[in-house]
Amino acid sequence: MDPFADTLQRLREAFSSGRTRPAEFRAAQLNGLSRFLRENKQLLQEALAQDLHKSAFEAEVSEISISQNEINLALRNLRAWMKDEKVSKNLATQLDSAFIRKEPFGLVLILSPWNYPLNLSLGPLVGALAAGNCVVLKPSEISKTTEKVLAEVLPRYLDQSCFAVVLGGPQETGRLLEHKFDYIFFTGNSQVGKIVMTAAAKHLTPVTLELGGKNPCYVDDNCDPQTVANRVAFFRCFNAGQTCVAPDYVLCSPEMQARLVPALQSAITRFYGDDPQSSPNLGRIISEKHFQRLRGLLSCGRVVIGGQSDESDLYIAPTVLVDLQETEPVMQEEIFGPILPIVNVRSLGQAIDFINRREKPLALYVFSTSSQVVKRVLAQTSSGGFCGNDGFMHLTLASLPFGGVGSSGMGSYHGKFSFDTFSHHRACLLRPAGLEKIYAIRYPPHTPRNLRVLLMAMGTRSCSCTLL
Amino acid sequence: RRAGIGGRAGVGRRAGAAFHSDISELILCQNEVDLALRNLHTWMKDEPAAKNLITQLDSAFIRKEPFGLVLILSPWNYPLNLSLVPLVGALAAGNCVVLKPSEMSKCTERVLAEVLPGYLDQSCFAVVLGGPEKTGRLLEHAFDYIFFMGSPRVGKIVMTAAAKHLTPVTLELGGKNPCYVDDNCDPQTVANRVAFFRYFNTGQTCVAPDYVLCSPEMQARLVPALQSAITRFYGDDPQSSPDLGRIINEKHFQRLRDLLSCGRVVIGGQSDESDLYIAPTVLVDVQETEPVMQEEIFGPILPIVNVRSLDQAIDFINRREKPLALYAFSKSSQVVNQMLDRTSSGNFAGNEGFTYLTLTSLPFSGVGKSGMGRYHGKFSFDTFSHHRACLLSHSGLEMLNNIRYPPYSDCRQKLLTWALGSHSCTLL
């Protein structure tokens, strides 16, 4: 028995009927999302607190506000984004109408993760709905409480003939992926990303994969340690480190390390107090499984800050590790927790080599008072996104495309990039029905003269000199 | 430019078909090269991005970066154009490139393998040769981008192989491109345009009109007009016209010859195995279940399927896979627009054939089974570039950041929420 067949059929029929195409319908959906956030703010904050011990502050800035901003942006720009885009023409097409038409793909599948379960569901959803698609959302079953809100409350705010939430674990997701979708948007780890892309290939379904990696954080000797420590600690410990773009490890000289470690301790104490476990501003690990995984990492290298853990609370202390080997687990897998290893390098060149020897990360950070250093790392490495002298602020800008490269992902979204991701850009040329004499020049039998005229008309110089 | 004009084996282009080469292969490549050269520095520039309140003092931009090692797998029907045009984009974007041209267009393959590398830096560019087996082995390697042109069946194989390495892909595939002919049109004008684009390159074009949808009444007017057009273009004996191409090889010739027995032949229908020649042919009384309506034709055969209304035509089209191209002929712009609004396809033309692909300002792409990703002009450059989001903040001014660090007060939270919003106007 296929639990999804009916739902998918229903959504496909709704799409074929053209229901999702008018701007009014799409705006109504986006307004529905907006109302969902406004009317259920407390419920959502409680769910996020339940799942991840997320503070009201974090819930507000990294889940609710950021989603609301995307909705507002889409509502403000919907009609402009939907418009046909006229394009420049050559001589041969002067009398034609040439433009790019944005069309929805049809049935979109969004697979969202547990770390920002609201934002990473709603963000892509905004784009998919704005672009006129029908959507199936499969939220993560690991962030159980938020999953429940998304499954039970969210659909009431949307047209349910065009939107459905489906639930399940890896097995159900596998079965879901056997079906044909017109677009698949996946946020999660690289290993599952491969599975999703392989399943998509069977139906030639285009995908966006927002994956992860180990995001390097290079700290130059030339910097103010406390400033850097504040920024690094803040972005590392945000959401208890469970952020795909968090700085994963630090690269710096031994001298810098000596200055950085006490500054990190300062920052941690300032942010979370002497007993971080009792701070309302520090999150918890999502599940027992991940807790155990992280506790295992605490035995890598040498603990210089933190290192405590409490299984009953799924609590891992903000931790800094030093004296690490590249081969240790903490330097092999994406950490996704409040643990920050520091790896020593002896020069900027060595840091760049270290970074380039590894997979392209989702984010890359450089801290230096020298803009030359920042620019050099930017120029000589590759990553999904990059920030000089700060953490993942770049994702608050809807004007920047958010996405990975290499094993950290493919495709991008946020703002208009979301709308474009979920739209097919159809090349259109409309010619008047008559005027056949003009176009006769191209027909066989061919003459050298006809060829010359045609070649010129096909040239890309739209204006410029000469005849005809 | 005309090196290695061969006989039967491979691409048997005749002297007169130099027109075709110039129009569909050489000029298109040259235009792309010129456009890229003219715009390279602009395309490469960092694109500044709009900022919110919190990032006002920062520098925010999109940096275009090459992916690294790009693989281009090109087909045999436009073996030069479909190798070089993606190559232009990949090189302009700063990648190293491996080009694997089709082994079926043997002569052009040879020129690409032996002559082309001499014009490029060979530490950054290589041509590799081989058939399906070798290509399969090639695909086991990790590339940073794969650009494939060919059939949907092989497209799936390429994407599956790419998935193992999380390699992004552009797939330019194919399909059956419908050509709707409304009752409200001038039959001769339509016949000229449809015939020209159907028989160009002997029908071996991924965006050629594949079949016609029209009413029986329209069909009665269209068929003689098609015959007129064919005679005008290729003479009474098309086989001796210098302007008509040949089928690429024996295998495809046999495939097409079999299709000639579908429906009923009303124009053409002749074939000559010794010449790999198939006459410009029109078939009528065709069933949807017949092979000629099941697979992409890729030859000079045009089936006509009857529909009784525009709605029926749209339903027919929407019941099938999304095609690479869709054509609608009508004097009524309403009809053309309805067809455009109620269907989907990679590309669309009203009252015309595939002229749109000479416009580098239009993205050339498939959708659904006809492909994913796009290229031509700047779209090529963008396809082969990673668009890296960059934010350069100040190393100092730490006091401004104090607002975001825990522990929090209520009013601080409110302030931050507001500052994160993308308010275009207002203070600061």
Side-chain angles (χ1 to χ4, degrees):
Chain A
M1 226 221 83
D2 182 347
F4 306 116
D6 287 343
T7 303
L8 299 184
Q9 180 63 22
R10 178 166 57 82
L11 260 48
R12 279 213 176 276
E13 278 164 13
F15 183 78
S16 301
S17 76
R19 209 174 154 76
T20 59
R21 311 299 290 262
E24 294 74 26
F25 177 87
R26 306 184 199 189
Q29 299 308 292
L30 295 173
N31 278 314
L33 281 183
S34 208
R35 274 196 340 269
F36 164 72
L37 286 178
R38 277 199 320 269
E39 291 174 15
N40 297 283
K41 193 155 164 157
Q42 194 177 352
L43 182 65
L44 288 165
Q45 280 177 334
E46 284 164 3
L48 293 165
Q50 181 72 29
D51 286 334
L52 290 146
H53 199 259
K54 230 177 259 245
S55 65
F57 171 81
E58 284 197 10
E60 183 61 52
V61 308
S62 67
E63 298 264 26
I64 297 170
S65 273
I66 204 167
S67 302
Q68 189 63 64
N69 285 347
E70 285 282 329
I71 296 168
N72 294 344
L73 191 78
L75 277 167
R76 263 202 320 275
N77 293 281
L78 185 63
R79 283 168 174 77
W81 291 350
M82 282 174 68
K83 264 206 187 109
D84 290 340
E85 268 180 53
K86 288 200 181 350
V87 301
S88 61
K89 300 180 285 196
N90 56 22
L91 215 56
T93 47
Q94 271 309 308
L95 302 174
D96 305 326
S97 171
F99 56 92
I100 301 170
R101 162 75 51 101
K102 324 299 173 62
E103 301 182 340
F105 281 106
L107 184 54
V108 168
L109 172 64
I110 296 173
L111 301 164
S112 58
W114 51 260
N115 57 336
Y116 293 86
L118 184 64
N119 168 11
L120 298 182
S121 297
L122 258 49
L125 183 58
V126 166
L129 293 175
N133 297 282
C134 284
V135 182
V136 173
L137 170 67
K138 203 217 82 66
S140 170
E141 72 284 8
I142 301 178
S143 39
K144 278 191 168 13
T145 323
T146 315
E147 184 203 34
K148 208 157 153 248
V149 177
L150 291 172
E152 294 175 10
V153 183
L154 174 58
R156 294 187 226 142
Y157 290 81
L158 299 173
D159 183 325
Q160 294 189 51
S161 65
C162 306
F163 173 78
V165 176
V166 301
L167 306 181
Q171 215 186 56
E172 285 83 8
T173 309
R175 292 192 62 188
L176 185 60
L177 283 168
E178 286 168 13
H179 294 271
K180 179 180 175 200
F181 292 92
D182 301 308
Y183 203 96
I184 298 176
F185 188 100
F186 169 78
T187 311
N189 69 45
S190 304
Q191 190 226 354
V192 180
K194 290 181 185 179
I195 295 171
V196 172
M197 188 172 173
T198 303
K202 293 189 172 60
H203 297 288
L204 288 169
T205 300
V207 301
T208 287
L209 307 175
E210 297 278 340
L211 310 176
K214 290 184 75 59
N215 306 318
C217 181
Y218 173 69
V219 179
D220 194 38
D221 284 356
N222 194 355
C223 74
D224 169 51
Q226 194 56 62
T227 299
V228 173
N230 291 347
R231 297 177 189 189
V232 173
F234 177 67
F235 288 100
R236 166 77 287 188
C237 297
F238 196 94
N239 200 28
Q242 297 161 118
T243 309
C244 51
V245 280
D248 186 276
Y249 64 95
V250 163
L251 285 168
C252 69
S253 68
E255 297 74 38
M256 188 62 226
Q257 177 179 308
R259 298 158 71 205
L260 194 60
V261 171
L264 283 166
Q265 179 66 79
S266 242
I268 289 166
T269 306
R270 169 187 169 180
F271 297 164
Y272 309 111
D274 291 311
D275 176 28
Q277 191 171 5
S278 58
S279 162
N281 296 306
L282 187 60
R284 294 295 182 268
I285 305 309
I286 183 68
S287 67
E288 180 71 35
K289 171 179 151 194
H290 280 280
F291 172 84
Q292 296 297 351
R293 181 182 64 79
L294 287 163
R295 193 155 71 173
L297 297 182
L298 292 170
S299 50
C300 296
R302 178 166 62 88
V303 174
V304 289
I305 298 175
Q308 301 88 357
S309 60
D310 180 347
E311 191 167 349
S312 68
D313 195 21
L314 295 182
Y315 166 77
I316 302 267
T319 298
V320 176
L321 305 173
V322 299
D323 297 344
L324 290 149
Q325 300 305 316
E326 223 185 311
T327 47
E328 297 188 72
V330 80
M331 283 308 294
Q332 292 293 311
E333 53 181 83
E334 185 173 2
I335 293 168
F336 232 65
I339 299 169
L340 183 70
I342 301 181
V343 173
N344 291 140
V345 286
R346 299 212 162 273
S347 66
L348 177 58
Q350 208 184 46
I352 290 174
D353 284 343
F354 185 96
I355 290 167
N356 287 339
R357 271 206 316 270
R358 304 166 74 98
E359 295 292 349
K360 292 176 190 171
L362 187 55
L364 213 160
Y365 302 103
V366 178
F367 288 85
S368 175
T369 47
S370 156
S371 67
Q372 260 190 341
V373 167
V374 173
K375 286 181 177 157
R376 185 175 155 194
V377 179
L378 174 58
Q380 293 180 14
T381 59
S382 189
S383 62
F386 177 95
C387 193
N389 290 312
D390 212 356
F392 44 81
M393 288 306 291
H394 58 281
L395 56 76
T396 69
L397 279 183
S399 55
L400 286 175
F402 182 73
V405 66
S407 66
S408 56
M410 58 182 75
S412 64
Y413 74 125
H414 283 187
K416 182 174 190 281
F417 301 103
S418 295
F419 181 88
D420 287 339
T421 284
F422 290 107
S423 302
H424 167 52
H425 289 227
R426 190 181 192 184
C428 301
L429 189 78
L430 304 187
R431 174 156 288 188
L435 302 172
E436 182 62 351
K437 284 212 173 66
I438 300 181
Y439 302 111
I441 200 172
R442 59 189 173 181
Y443 297 140
H446 299 304
T447 65
R449 179 190 167 276
N450 285 359
L451 177 59
R452 271 200 307 278
V453 173
L454 257 169
L455 291 183
M456 204 197 54
M458 282 167 63
T460 47
R461 284 160 232 273
S462 43
C463 59
S464 68
C465 56
T466 70
L467 4 130
L468 240 181
Chain B
R1 278 170 80 192
R2 311 256 161 77
I5 294 178
R8 217 192 103 170
V11 183
R13 289 199 188 282
R14 300 183 178 188
F19 174 92
H20 281 72
S21 311
D22 273 330
I23 284 289
S24 67
E25 299 263 28
L26 299 160
I27 182 67
L28 290 179
C29 296
Q30 192 62 62
N31 282 349
E32 287 280 341
V33 169
D34 291 343
L35 190 78
L37 279 169
R38 262 203 319 278
N39 293 283
L40 186 61
H41 294 280
T42 309
W43 292 349
M44 284 175 67
K45 267 205 185 108
D46 291 339
E47 271 179 49
K51 298 179 285 195
N52 58 20
L53 218 53
I54 275 194
T55 46
Q56 268 310 309
L57 301 175
D58 304 331
S59 171
F61 56 92
I62 300 170
R63 162 76 50 103
K64 324 299 175 59
E65 300 182 342
F67 281 106
L69 184 55
V70 168
L71 172 64
I72 296 173
L73 300 165
S74 57
W76 51 260
N77 57 335
Y78 293 87
L80 184 65
N81 167 6
L82 299 181
S83 297
L84 258 46
V85 174
L87 182 59
V88 167
L91 294 176
N95 297 282
C96 282
V97 183
V98 172
L99 170 67
K100 203 216 80 67
S102 170
E103 71 284 8
M104 282 162 46
S105 40
K106 281 192 168 14
C107 304
T108 314
E109 183 201 36
R110 231 176 109 213
V111 176
L112 291 172
E114 294 175 12
V115 184
L116 173 60
Y119 290 82
L120 298 174
D121 183 327
Q122 294 187 53
S123 65
C124 305
F125 174 76
V127 177
V128 301
L129 305 181
E133 209 189 83
K134 286 231 175 76
T135 308
R137 293 189 59 190
L138 185 60
L139 284 168
E140 286 168 14
H141 295 270
F143 291 91
D144 301 306
Y145 203 95
I146 298 176
F147 190 98
F148 169 77
M149 280 152 293
S151 71
R153 183 189 66 91
V154 182
K156 289 181 187 180
I157 295 172
V158 172
M159 189 172 171
T160 304
K164 292 190 174 59
H165 299 287
L166 288 168
T167 300
V169 301
T170 286
L171 307 175
E172 298 280 348
L173 310 176
K176 291 184 74 60
N177 306 318
C179 181
Y180 173 69
V181 180
D182 194 37
D183 284 358
N184 185 3
C185 72
D186 169 49
Q188 194 56 61
T189 299
V190 174
N192 291 348
R193 295 179 190 188
V194 173
F196 177 66
F197 288 99
R198 165 78 285 190
Y199 303 118
F200 193 94
N201 201 29
T202 332
Q204 297 163 119
T205 309
C206 51
V207 281
D210 186 276
Y211 65 95
V212 163
L213 285 168
C214 69
S215 68
E217 297 73 40
M218 188 61 226
Q219 177 180 307
R221 296 157 73 204
L222 194 60
V223 171
L226 283 166
Q227 179 67 76
S228 238
I230 289 167
T231 306
R232 169 184 170 183
F233 297 165
Y234 309 112
D236 291 311
D237 176 29
Q239 192 172 7
S240 58
S241 161
D243 296 317
L244 188 62
R246 293 296 182 265
I247 305 309
I248 181 70
N249 62 21
E250 182 72 36
K251 171 178 152 197
H252 280 280
F253 172 84
Q254 294 297 354
R255 180 182 65 78
L256 287 162
R257 193 156 70 173
D258 290 343
L259 295 184
L260 292 169
S261 48
C262 297
R264 179 166 61 88
V265 174
V266 290
I267 298 175
Q270 301 88 355
S271 61
D272 179 348
E273 191 167 349
S274 69
D275 196 20
L276 294 184
Y277 166 77
I278 303 268
T281 298
V282 175
L283 305 173
V284 298
D285 299 343
V286 167
Q287 297 305 313
E288 223 185 311
T289 46
E290 295 189 75
V292 79
M293 283 309 293
Q294 292 293 313
E295 54 179 83
E296 185 173 0
I297 294 167
F298 231 65
I301 299 169
L302 183 70
I304 301 180
V305 173
N306 291 139
V307 285
R308 301 213 162 271
S309 66
L310 174 62
D311 283 341
Q312 208 184 46
I314 290 174
D315 284 342
F316 186 95
I317 290 168
N318 288 339
R319 270 204 322 267
R320 304 166 74 95
E321 296 291 349
K322 292 176 189 173
L324 186 55
L326 213 159
Y327 302 102
F329 287 85
S330 175
K331 282 186 179 158
S332 157
S333 65
Q334 259 190 339
V335 167
V336 171
N337 278 303
Q338 270 220 54
M339 186 54 84
L340 172 59
D341 290 345
R342 291 164 59 188
T343 61
S344 188
S345 62
N347 312 279
F348 179 94
N351 291 315
E352 182 57 352
F354 47 79
T355 312
Y356 52 79
L357 54 76
T358 68
L359 275 186
T360 51
S361 54
L362 282 174
F364 183 76
S365 67
V367 66
K369 223 160 159 206
S370 56
M372 58 181 76
R374 65 222 188 144
Y375 74 127
H376 281 187
K378 181 173 192 281
F379 302 104
S380 296
F381 180 88
D382 287 340
T383 283
F384 290 107
S385 303
H386 167 53
H387 290 227
R388 189 181 192 186
C390 301
L391 190 69
L392 304 187
S393 262
H394 276 261
S395 54
L397 301 174
E398 182 61 352
M399 269 178 58
L400 290 180
N401 285 329
N402 286 337
I403 198 176
R404 66 186 180 186
Y405 299 138
Y408 305 111
S409 64
D410 262 341
C411 86
R412 193 133 58 91
Q413 192 161 311
K414 285 196 175 68
L415 188 57
L416 257 165
T417 305
W418 174 80
L420 277 173
S422 47
H423 312 276
S424 36
C425 57
T426 70
L427 1 132
L428 241 177

